[in-house]
Amino acid sequence: MAWMSLSLDVKKSSAEAAQELLTDCGAAGLELRDGEGGMPNVRKPQPGEAIVIGFFDERAAALGALKKAKAQLKPRQAALEEVVEKDWSEEWKRLIRPVTVGRLWVGPPWEKPPKG
């Protein structure tokens, strides 16, 4: 399944209003990036701003939310993007790689050690 994500870069003081607007427009889920913590390799907000992301199961609902957000919130930046759903309970395993230290092989249990 593919989702539509709508990202809004708004003033930090408007983050709650942005979340409410996206929810009212039918967002199935929200993500708030307010500069507190965050994940590596993920775009962070500018100082004094927040990034509010709504996830929609229908493109039409996301487009409607974008139109409302531009009119009511005046975001500095707004972006609509298709997001393909992944099974994150398995996806993280791609990042774990085995290593060989001398004669010792160290790897995750789902990898097979080399023969020999």
Side-chain angles (χ1 to χ4, degrees), residues 22-84:
L22 293 175
T23 300
D24 290 347
C25 289
L30 297 172
E31 178 182 345
L32 172 64
R33 299 181 193 162
D34 59 3
E36 307 292 326
M39 293 179 46
N41 302 320
V42 174
R43 187 171 71 89
K44 295 179 181 18
Q46 297 293 319
E49 291 188 347
I51 301 172
V52 180
I53 305 169
F55 296 91
F56 296 84
D57 56 0
E58 294 180 6
R59 183 174 180 81
L63 287 169
L66 175 60
K67 185 176 180 179
K68 278 187 175 181
K70 284 184 174 182
Q72 294 177 20
L73 300 172
K74 312 266 191 276
R76 183 179 61 79
Q77 183 177 332
L80 199 58
E81 180 181 356
E82 185 173 313
V83 179
V84 177

Side-chain angles (χ1 to χ4, degrees), residues 88-97 108 110-111:
W88 290 106
S89 67
E90 291 294 320
E91 188 70 19
W92 66 274
K93 291 180 180 179
R94 291 185 319 105
L95 304 174
I96 309 299
R97 298 280 179 233
W110 58 87
E111 292 277 339

